[in-house]
Amino acid sequence: MIDKVSIIEPPKAGRLIVEGPSFRYFADTTGSSDYFKIEISGTSLHVDGASSLEVDVNRQ
């Protein structure tokens, strides 16, 4: 179960929105590449934990 999503490193070009246990990324209209990092924390089988997610955005 996801308890919290936190922005560790925000994107430089786009926009990142955290809404409860989810997030949405909106790319910049210039077509530039981007990067952001989030942390997801929660519980699985009564064990607390956290994972970080690094996302590279490249338009093709």
Side-chain angles (χ1 to χ4, degrees):
M1 173 144 92
I2 295 174
D3 294 324
K4 185 177 180 184
V5 176
S6 304
I7 299 172
I8 302 300
E9 192 173 328
K12 304 285 188 235
R15 192 168 46 114
L16 182 62
I17 297 174
V18 174
E19 298 173 334
S22 65
F23 67 93
R24 295 190 324 170
Y25 172 78
F26 299 92
D28 188 13
T29 58
T30 62
S32 62
S33 60
D34 208 354
Y35 168 88
F36 64 90
K37 185 175 181 179
I38 61 173
E39 182 178 80
I40 302 167
S41 58
T43 305
S44 178
L45 301 173
H46 305 288
V47 178
D48 293 333
S51 298
S52 62
L53 177 66
E54 297 178 30
V55 178
D56 283 312
V57 179
N58 296 301
R59 294 187 114 180
Q60 297 186 16

